[in-house]
Amino acid sequence: MSHRLLTRSRTMNSIKVLPLFFLAMGHQVLAEAPPNFIILYADDLGYADTSVQMMDGEPSTKHDFIRTPGVERLAEIGARFTVAYAPSPTCTASRISIQHGQSTARIQYRNVFDVLSAVQRPNGYEEEVTMAEMFKESGKNYVTAHFGKGCSAMGRFEDAGYDVTDENPGEPGGNGNGHGSYWDPIKDKTPFPPDNPKRMYSLMRDSAAFVKEHAGKQPFFMMVSHYAPHIPHLCTKETFERTKKRWIEMGKDTEGIENEKSSIRKDITYAGMVEEMDMTLVAILDALEAKGQLENTYVIFTSDNGGGHSERRKVDGENRRFNGPLQEGKRSIYEGGIRVPTVISGPGIKAGSQCDVPIVQWDFLSTFHDLSGSQAAIPPNADGGSLRQVFEKGNKGKVKRVAPGIIHHYTCHYHPPISSIILGDYKLMRHLNSGEFKLFNLKTDYREEKNLALKMPKKVKEMDKVCRQYVKEVGGGTSEQVRQAHHKLMDRFSEQSKEGYFKKLAALRQQNLSDFEARKAAMLKVLNQNLFKNVVNKEKTNLHRTLYSWREGPEMKIAEEKARAKIVEFVD
């Protein structure tokens, strides 16, 4: 990174005891040792996919089968945050946002495969400050660690302020942003062994070992980024059989349970995977307790976006997705795609409490900067606000952010493009193609069933103005800019495919092989397949311009039909 990290302080602050306070309050001692911070980041975990009821009075926010004793334990010693948001409804954007404490609009990475990002940020993100670098610059002697899923847009985390990582040496993208199938997702693609699906067991061991090594010796920040429960859904054979047995004992539907592709078998596997992922949290809490550091550590359990394993229900003749009571899921700006299960424990947080103050993951960097007592200035582009008041006062606390509200600017070229802002109790969504608005009072209607846009035009106008102004100021980009960038990228891919074809063809000619024509024909077939795929992608983007739906549709099938009518095969 271009900025310089401050040298770690080697001196420990002495523990001071205030005599008068001690006499008045009994056996309380105030220690100046900075707190520790841990984030356990799930991948695609739905709002209601744990055994913790996220909302009092709403049983559907708790799963009726999945068991997560680690999350239960965390909720007993901490608080459930019922209105907690991921930065984006898809993973890459959330992962780069949380690392830098900026909205996806400001960091200019809004969704998976954000084609506009490379145009806006040709030099990448080296000038931005990560959470780990913020801790290293704090002057508080923090040691930092990252285990698990990385972020393709950031490269190696060891170059982003993390002292300890589990990245393979020589792997250019670090752990990458894959689905949790390979140790080395870019180079050799060595699969994880059956006894370590999604790396859940090695992540549990590595994170617990790090806590045991550093807890009580020096302050630390550790982020554990699970690949679970993203597809493909995997768990160990032993866990599957145990979970299957419990499924049967609970009297659940068993039709097709022996069929590998049945929905029931998928549900059992998913439950087993979430339960194995939860074991990491159990191991971390055990390690903290053994080291006497549980009460001096902020532990955050949350997810990078809404649930991908959503429930399907028929509504108004449509087959819609739901995560508990929330509409939609991953890839959507409806609550099911961005509101995520979040439980936090730590100093000052009331045990067993529920907090309904809206928070967003790009608040964490500002929060850590505040609670760590950092001696350095907060990174200049931070959007979030400190959650100190919310931690200490619960629902009476306030969050003062740099950003004017909680903003999700989703300019995606393959999903409904929507820009939204949450201010107070209200959430405004604007469809970036049609210009249509939806306004919901989330306090009374978190199911997003009553669109208030026509009844409250003044509120719509006020919130829309705030959202548009912010997006414009930070260079959040437009849907049309995204589509144009995508077209140029597809054209570049096609030219690269042709260049590769001619290079391989020249090498083939030099070999003077008897089956030259057959090999050439095979290469030409692959080339035309690649060119066709790029044309299909461009046609899908063209269709996207007139996509006025608020939910996913059949654009890919239509795009393929249009591409077949247009494509002219390359002939050498």
Side-chain angles (χ1 to χ4, degrees), residues 375-538:
Q375 298 170 2
I378 194 165
N381 293 328
D383 265 316
S386 174
L387 301 178
R388 177 188 287 272
Q389 278 195 32
V390 176
F391 286 173
E392 296 175 352
K393 300 179 181 180
N395 287 327
K396 294 181 180 179
K398 304 290 184 183
V399 184
K400 297 179 180 179
R401 298 184 179 89
V402 174
I406 296 177
I407 293 171
H408 292 90
H409 188 58
Y410 195 59
T411 55
C412 188
H413 60 280
Y414 50 89
H415 296 141
I418 296 167
S419 192
S420 79
I421 182 170
I422 297 169
L423 284 172
D425 296 335
Y426 290 90
K427 172 184 176 181
L428 179 72
M429 296 195 293
R430 175 172 62 95
H431 199 295
L432 297 177
N433 285 346
S434 68
E436 182 185 357
F437 291 103
K438 289 184 182 290
L439 177 69
F440 300 102
N441 184 330
L442 294 178
K443 188 172 184 179
T444 60
D445 183 28
Y446 49 80
R447 288 179 172 83
E448 297 176 294
E449 295 174 333
K450 300 173 184 177
N451 182 8
L452 304 173
L454 294 179
K455 292 182 179 180
M456 304 178 69
K458 185 177 179 181
K459 172 68 74 173
V460 169
K461 186 176 181 179
E462 290 172 351
M463 293 180 68
D464 183 45
K465 181 180 179 181
V466 173
C467 187
R468 285 179 189 254
Q469 183 174 338
Y470 169 82
V471 170
K472 183 178 180 180
E473 286 177 354
V474 301
T478 67
S479 289
E480 188 55 35
Q481 285 178 313
V482 171
R483 288 188 282 264
Q484 290 174 6
H486 182 258
H487 273 225
K488 290 179 180 178
L489 184 61
M490 292 303 102
D491 289 341
R492 181 153 59 88
F493 284 172
S494 293
E495 289 304 313
Q496 288 174 345
S497 294
K498 291 176 184 178
E499 290 171 4
Y501 165 78
F502 285 118
K503 185 176 181 180
K504 291 178 180 178
L505 186 63
L508 187 65
R509 278 200 175 97
Q510 291 181 352
Q511 296 179 44
N512 294 319
L513 300 173
S514 59
D515 60 346
F516 170 79
E517 290 299 332
R519 289 179 179 244
K520 176 184 174 182
M523 289 167 49
L524 197 58
K525 182 180 179 180
V526 171
L527 171 62
N528 279 305
Q529 287 173 343
N530 289 335
L531 296 179
F532 177 72
K533 181 176 67 174
N534 295 336
V535 173
V536 169
N537 286 333
K538 288 175 68 174

Side-chain angles (χ1 to χ4, degrees), residues 137-153:
E137 295 171 353
S138 69
K140 297 294 182 176
N141 195 32
Y142 274 90
V143 60
T144 57
H146 185 279
F147 301 109
K149 186 169 181 173
C151 178
S152 55

Side-chain angles (χ1 to χ4, degrees), residues 215-226:
K217 298 178 182 177
Q218 71 180 113
F220 66 84
F221 164 57
M222 177 178 71
M223 186 164 183
V224 185
S225 295
H226 267 282

Side-chain angles (χ1 to χ4, degrees), residues 298-402:
Y298 291 95
V299 181
I300 300 173
F301 175 86
T302 189
S303 178
D304 64 347
N305 48 250
H309 191 64
S310 306
E311 180 186 352
R312 297 279 179 172
R313 303 176 201 162
K314 281 283 186 181
V315 179
D316 297 332
E318 291 182 332
N319 187 17
R320 295 185 183 175
R321 298 181 298 156
F322 287 85
N323 276 273
L326 308 180
Q327 286 203 51
E328 292 299 317
K330 177 178 180 176
R331 304 181 299 275
S332 174
I333 298 296
Y334 278 97
E335 290 294 281
I338 54 178
R339 190 185 292 209
V340 289
T342 302
V343 183
I344 305 175
S345 72
I349 298 177
K350 184 178 178 181
S353 62
Q354 171 177 309
C355 183
D356 305 315
V357 177
I359 66 172
V360 63
Q361 289 170 9
W362 33 268
D363 286 330
F364 292 160
L365 183 145
S366 298
T367 302
F368 297 167
H369 181 272
D370 179 15
L371 296 176
S372 67
S374 175
Q375 298 170 2
I378 194 165
N381 293 328
D383 265 316
S386 174
L387 301 178
R388 177 188 287 272
Q389 278 195 32
V390 176
F391 286 173
E392 296 175 352
K393 300 179 181 180
N395 287 327
K396 294 181 180 179
K398 304 290 184 183
V399 184
K400 297 179 180 179
R401 298 184 179 89
V402 174

Side-chain angles (χ1 to χ4, degrees), residues 56-115:
D56 290 338
E58 183 58 84
S60 67
T61 59
K62 172 184 176 180
H63 204 275
D64 64 354
F65 181 70
I66 295 173
R67 292 179 178 176
T68 51
V71 183
E72 289 181 30
R73 183 172 163 192
L74 190 65
E76 289 173 1
I77 63 174
R80 291 163 289 121
F81 285 79
T82 64
V83 194
Y85 292 99
S88 168
T90 54
C91 64
T92 313
S94 287
R95 291 172 186 277
I96 196 166
S97 170
I98 192 175
Q99 286 293 330
H100 297 95
Q102 300 176 35
S103 74
T104 60
R106 187 187 293 274
I107 201 68
Q108 295 174 328
Y109 208 105
R110 291 136 292 231
N111 52 266
V112 174
F113 188 42
D114 188 327
V115 293

